[in-house]
Amino acid sequence: MNICYEQNNALRKFFHQYSQFEAVIRHDIETRLPCLISENSHKLKNARKLRFQGHRVDEYKIVLDKTTHCRVAYVVIDNTIHIIFISDRIIKNIFCDLLAKTNIVD
């Protein structure tokens, strides 16, 4: 599967704020996420009923260190994983509320 990072302010802002973890996050997305998708893992969850370009948004959590975690929102379109949003808010309801308030989702 190919990985595509959408060009939006939310991702730029997140990677700027957490630049020390950018390599770890990208490595997790590029190695672990495709495996989780192919295994249909229970770690992957729907991000409510949110949609991106008509496709269902899913999310999963990445543990960065003992005290730092993040959630990643993505969609799979034509064998390509589109990363659309990342946040340090790991409580799912808060994460979904933040994503819903952006202009990223339909």
Side-chain angles (χ1 to χ4, degrees):
M1 286 190 156
N2 297 318
I3 308 286
C4 173
Y5 293 87
E6 293 297 316
Q7 298 298 315
N8 62 48
N9 288 335
L11 283 179
R12 280 190 287 278
K13 182 179 176 182
F14 181 85
F15 281 129
H16 178 74
Q17 183 177 357
Y18 290 95
S19 58
Q20 72 273 27
F21 293 113
E22 183 172 358
V24 174
I25 293 168
R26 288 181 183 270
H27 182 263
D28 189 276
I29 289 170
E30 292 166 9
T31 57
R32 185 169 158 242
L33 182 56
C35 293
L36 292 173
I37 291 171
S38 67
E39 296 168 356
N40 198 18
S41 175
H42 69 281
K43 295 180 185 241
L44 305 177
K45 309 287 185 198
N46 290 339
R48 290 191 189 151
K49 295 187 180 192
L50 299 174
R51 300 248 175 218
F52 174 79
Q53 297 178 355
H55 298 275
R56 182 187 76 204
V57 176
D58 293 322
E59 54 86 13
Y60 83 112
K61 184 169 67 171
I62 299 174
V63 177
L64 301 171
D65 64 21
K66 290 181 181 180
T67 60
T68 309
H69 306 69
C70 67
R71 280 197 185 272
V72 178
Y74 68 93
V75 295
V76 179
I77 304 171
D78 297 329
N79 206 35
T80 300
I81 302 168
H82 294 263
I83 306 302
I84 61 170
F85 186 76
I86 304 174
S87 175
D88 61 350
R89 305 296 179 195
I90 60 166
I91 297 172
K92 184 174 178 172
N93 285 337
I94 295 172
F95 175 81
C96 290
D97 287 344
L98 287 174
L99 179 56
K101 290 178 183 176
T102 68
N103 62 352
I104 297 169
V105 293
D106 300 342

